[in-house]
Amino acid sequence: VKGDDDEDNTNDDEVTVGVPTNPALDRLPFAMNVAHEQYQSRFGSGEDTKTAILFVVQEGETNTVDQRMLEFQLWKNHRIPVIRMSLTAAKDGLRMDKANGTLYVNTNDSDAGEKHEYEVSVVYFRAGYAPTDYPDGYDGIEWASRELIERSRATKCPQLGYHLAGTKKVQQELARPGVLERFFSEEEIEQGVVTRMREAFAGLFSLGEDAVQEDLDAIGHAISSEEGHGLYVLKPQREGGGYNYYGADLAKKIKENVEEGPDGSLKLGEDLAEFILMQRLFPPKQKAVLLRAGLVEGTGESISELGCFGTIVQSCDGQTTLHNEYAGFLLRTKFSNVDEGGVASGFATLSSPYLC
């Protein structure tokens, strides 16, 4: 996204009015290039070695536009080829040198009828986040492909630890009293770093066997009345829209999996452990006209959610930060009476901020 006058928007620090420059299309591929160059420096890939970045995508992927733009930028700015492959296809398309962990991918040049093998420097996961990405089951070929990638020396974006760190359960655990303090020095804590971070937290509550009284109190409040269940969202460990529970559906889902004792105590069913309970946010509303596929979808009260991209490249032991920067933003807008918020799933639309 760029403003009408690019020269006035080249420095975000100077932008006070208008649509700010969004550097995502430049900075996300730049971070991949940092990881790619670090791989080559560390493992000494020679000039004769064909090295590529692997995009792991879904079978029959339809959400390809931004993926292709990243791919084109990687070639245009850094001369790095991209190979796209699903976890299912990776069973036959990938191999790993067991002696040193080098990951190789095979490609077919359909025009020339030739087969080429590339060494993979970086694996960028655009799939693997949902159970549907592993249709062959826990012992199936997709999990075997994921294990092969994780065991290889290629840089993963994200590697399995970072992937799990992004789940809602980990977010909920980070909101526990005393947990954030583990990651900061005494000096930083005294400076109020943790306190300021917690000011941005919504209420997050466990529904698993680790639930404490604070969690049970929130659960009881959520199912106590229409007012109560309107203040929370029930979220599974999933990404994208269409999986959350709101309002009466939230209360019904919890009640179906809770036993209430004579004294009012709650016993949580095992099926609830895959969810967390989150305090619902109520952002300000504004009038908007929403477009989808070039057509007016409607006019009315809308709400928006702003997310910021960040890129970080760490050494394999996690001790050295090689790259860490802000890398752009994503603004989603939907009508205020719509609960879910995914763009690809059809609940929200992409938007642009206007600074005024």
Side-chain angles (χ1 to χ4, degrees):
V1 178
K2 289 199 174 184
D4 294 333
D5 187 345
D6 285 349
E7 290 183 0
D8 291 339
N9 288 284
T10 54
N11 188 339
D12 284 347
D13 294 335
E14 298 175 359
V15 175
T16 56
V17 176
V19 178
T21 299
N22 189 348
L25 191 55
D26 175 63
R27 303 320 293 173
L28 295 177
F30 180 83
M32 295 184 199
N33 179 59
V34 171
H36 175 81
E37 290 186 341
Q38 175 65 17
Y39 177 92
Q40 292 185 313
S41 173
R42 185 179 177 204
F43 297 113
S45 299
E47 292 183 1
D48 296 333
T49 303
K50 295 181 178 180
T51 310
I53 291 179
L54 175 66
F55 279 22
V56 176
V57 299
Q58 293 179 325
E59 288 280 328
E61 177 71 84
T62 58
N63 185 27
T64 61
V65 175
D66 73 298
Q67 298 176 16
R68 288 297 188 184
M69 293 176 76
L70 295 174
E71 176 184 339
F72 299 155
Q73 286 294 104
L74 278 165
W75 179 252
K76 177 183 176 182
N77 294 339
H78 309 291
R79 286 296 185 262
I80 304 174
V82 167
I83 298 169
R84 297 164 56 84
M85 183 175 289
S86 70
L87 287 170
T88 304
K91 175 183 181 294
D92 297 319
L94 294 180
R95 75 172 182 89
M96 185 183 72
D97 185 329
K98 295 182 180 179
N100 58 22
T102 305
L103 186 68
Y104 295 98
V105 57
N106 290 314
T107 63
N108 290 311
D109 188 331
S110 56
D111 295 329
E114 298 177 352
K115 196 171 186 179
H116 301 286
E117 188 171 67
Y118 288 81
E119 182 176 341
V120 178
S121 60
V122 178
V123 181
Y124 175 46
F125 284 99
R126 289 299 296 258
Y129 300 92
T132 50
D133 293 331
Y134 304 89
D136 206 30
Y138 288 122
D139 297 322
I141 58 177
E142 292 83 17
W143 276 114
S145 297
R146 182 67 187 266
E147 180 184 6
L148 181 71
I149 293 171
E150 293 292 335
R151 287 171 51 217
S152 77
R153 72 185 191 183
T155 301
K156 272 73 71 173
C157 177
Q159 53 104 320
L160 190 57
Y162 277 17
H163 183 167
L164 293 175
T167 62
K168 294 174 177 65
K169 180 61 181 178
V170 172
Q171 295 171 21
Q172 175 254 303
E173 285 298 319
L174 287 171
R176 293 277 198 205
V179 174
L180 273 183
E181 285 81 353
R182 294 171 49 195
F183 304 99
F184 293 92
S185 66
E186 289 294 333
E187 181 180 355
E188 289 171 321
I189 294 172
E190 291 175 1
Q191 292 173 349
V193 173
V194 172
T195 301
R196 291 196 299 274
M197 289 185 67
R198 284 211 173 95
E199 290 175 352
F201 284 13
L204 298 166
F205 308 98
S206 173
L207 285 84
E209 60 182 14
D210 62 333
V212 297
Q213 191 58 48
E214 180 185 20
D215 302 319
L216 297 174
D217 291 343
I219 296 167
H221 185 215
I223 62 177
S224 63
S225 65
E226 183 175 344
E227 177 185 4
H229 57 238
L231 298 176
Y232 299 90
V233 183
L234 189 63
K235 292 189 170 188
Q237 312 303 308
R238 300 289 298 273
E239 296 298 330
Y243 307 108
N244 299 334
Y245 290 84
Y246 299 83
D249 292 334
L250 175 151
K252 179 182 177 183
K253 180 67 175 178
I254 295 178
K255 287 179 179 178
E256 289 174 348
N257 293 277
V258 165
E259 294 181 14
E260 186 171 357
D263 58 352
S265 61
L266 300 178
K267 182 180 180 182
L268 307 180
E270 292 183 359
D271 290 345
L272 285 179
E274 67 176 285
F275 298 90
I276 67 160
L277 188 67
M278 175 180 164
Q279 174 191 358
R280 188 168 184 178
L281 305 179
F282 296 95
K285 301 177 183 179
Q286 58 184 354
K287 291 282 187 180
V289 178
L290 301 190
L291 303 175
R292 188 183 300 278
L295 302 175
V296 175
E297 188 171 276
T299 304
E301 296 284 351
S302 72
I303 56 177
S304 297
E305 178 184 6
L306 178 67
C308 292
F309 296 118
T311 55
I312 184 168
V313 181
Q314 291 279 123
S315 60
C316 60
D317 59 6
Q319 300 301 308
T320 304
T321 300
L322 305 170
H323 169 87
N324 185 8
E325 71 170 14
Y326 159 75
F329 60 82
L330 177 71
L331 185 68
R332 299 181 294 185
T333 299
K334 64 180 181 179
F335 290 120
S336 59
N337 62 347
V338 176
D339 287 329
E340 296 287 358
V343 173
S345 51
F347 297 104
T349 60
L350 293 175
S351 191
S352 299
Y354 185 90
L355 306 180
C356 55

